[in-house]
Amino acid sequence: MIANLENKGFYFKIFVFLKKIKLAFRALSKSRKNESFRQNSLFKQIKFLIIRTIYTYPKVRSFKKIKIQDKIFKDQLFEEDFNLKEVVSALDEFGYVKTPKVKQKILNSAFDEITRDANNIDEVSFNNTANEVSKKVKDFKIDTEMKLVVKSATENLDEYLIRLQELGVNQVKFSAPVNLNENLKKISFSEPLIDVAKSYLNLKEDLSLVSQLFISFPSKGLSDKALMRNAQKYHADYIYKKFFKFFIYLNDVNDFNGPHMYVKKSHKKKLLKHTIPGQFPDEEIEENYKENICSVTGEKGTSFLVDTFGLHKALRTEKDYRIALILTYGNGFIKNRKSDVAYNISKL
């Protein structure tokens, strides 16, 4: 049906907008089952609908111009100097830019800090080919099986990862409050990153800052539903009026253990059908954007900024594992999980 309508211009635009409205109300209904989301005011729930309809159009979200500041940071977080102007300019043009490597000492401390606290568990996917199971934290309750994924103080990294695999874990996601974790706070509130947020988001209201840590293992024969749950099919994010994500690899990532895939420039221009919230087949994305698809690999500490309003996915892990810390910086605030917090940008 979409293929037929796409050739009819005006009618296809109407069809797409109506579909976005339908999907937005469906997403709102699903989100309202979440106790954290229900804490949002009625105004913010209406804002949620606007973001998933009006702000799905690239021209709308990029209407406000970015503010590019000429600064160079010699920051304790990064191994090399951070050139703010170059970073923000590249992020604006391509939707993706590599940043200097993050020092390993702070990464190791942040990893232990996050994974040793059961309160930070967000979701665990168990890789049983006969019975795929994904357990999300519901109403702040974490069951006994989920608590097993917490790293003990006596385990080293290898012992911890082996134990997770023996438990049949396919992916575990932690979400820690950045203001309650010392090392995570040092990363999140690093001056270069806050200045990127001020520049790229053109902030005049609260800054949302959300942390997620993913540990992913190889999987075989997962259904489309499981791949979607693991963000391993191409999609775009619609979470704030404007936002970006800061990725840090906490282990060496190559072409076989789940690199991030991104379609450069798709944060500003993509086919109308790809502005509909949802996930898309690899073949379709490769056919339409092949020359702009990039794979982000690198050693432990590799970091990069991505505007995930653009099309992206995590490549499925075929061997070893991937650990990635992801910080989301958003314009405005809508609470989606218990760890979500807003900060007054003028005080940062």
Side-chain angles (χ1 to χ4, degrees), residues 20-37:
K20 288 178 180 182
I21 292 174
K22 178 182 177 181
L23 292 173
F25 276 99
R26 184 182 296 173
L28 177 63
S29 177
K30 183 177 180 181
S31 295
R32 284 183 57 80
K33 296 176 183 179
N34 181 317
E35 183 176 320
S36 295
F37 184 85

Side-chain angles (χ1 to χ4, degrees), residues 103-239:
K103 294 182 178 179
Q104 295 199 17
K105 183 177 179 181
I106 192 170
L107 286 181
N108 294 337
S109 299
F111 178 80
D112 284 346
E113 194 173 53
I114 294 168
T115 56
R116 287 180 184 175
D117 189 346
N119 292 317
N120 293 335
I121 299 172
D122 195 22
E123 182 176 357
V124 184
S125 299
F126 293 93
N127 185 23
N128 303 315
T129 53
N131 182 28
E132 295 166 5
V133 179
S134 177
K135 294 188 173 184
K136 290 187 178 182
V137 174
K138 294 182 177 179
D139 296 333
F140 309 105
K141 294 179 182 178
I142 304 171
D143 67 26
T144 303
E145 191 173 18
M146 292 176 76
K147 287 182 180 179
L148 293 175
V149 306
V150 174
K151 185 177 183 291
S152 74
T154 59
E155 286 180 308
N156 62 36
L157 178 61
D158 289 338
E159 292 170 337
Y160 174 55
L161 295 174
I162 289 172
R163 184 168 64 79
L164 289 183
Q165 288 182 292
E166 289 175 346
L167 288 170
V169 171
N170 168 239
Q171 186 180 86
V172 55
K173 179 169 68 176
F174 295 88
S175 185
V178 296
N179 58 328
L180 299 181
N181 294 265
E182 181 183 353
N183 292 285
L184 183 57
K185 188 175 182 179
K186 289 178 182 177
I187 298 172
S188 306
F189 293 109
S190 171
E191 191 176 358
L193 295 176
I194 293 300
D195 269 31
V196 171
K198 290 177 179 178
S199 300
Y200 189 68
L201 304 180
N202 199 355
L203 284 174
K204 292 182 180 178
E205 53 182 307
D206 288 341
L207 170 71
S208 288
L209 219 174
V210 179
S211 76
Q212 293 176 298
L213 187 143
F214 290 83
I215 304 174
S216 305
F217 296 103
S219 56
K220 293 182 179 180
L222 289 183
S223 65
D224 277 353
K225 183 178 180 180
L227 291 174
M228 289 169 65
R229 185 179 63 234
N230 292 348
Q232 292 171 338
K233 291 178 73 69
Y234 277 107
H235 63 284
D237 297 332
Y238 304 98
I239 44 182

Side-chain angles (χ1 to χ4, degrees), residues 251-279:
N251 68 300
D252 295 349
V253 174
N254 54 45
D255 291 330
F256 303 100
N257 64 335
H260 183 79
M261 306 293 294
Y262 188 73
V263 180
K264 290 185 290 186
K265 299 185 179 181
S266 62
H267 68 308
K268 285 194 171 180
K269 186 177 181 180
K270 51 193 166 190
L271 295 179
L272 184 58
K273 64 181 178 180
H274 294 147
T275 67
I276 301 173
Q279 306 210 18

Side-chain angles (χ1 to χ4, degrees), residues 8 10 59 65 116 125 163 245 305 322 348:
K8 297 182 180 179
F10 174 77
K59 287 185 179 180
K65 301 299 181 182
R116 287 180 184 175
S125 299
R163 184 168 64 79
K245 294 186 179 184
L305 293 165
R322 186 195 78 160
L348 296 178

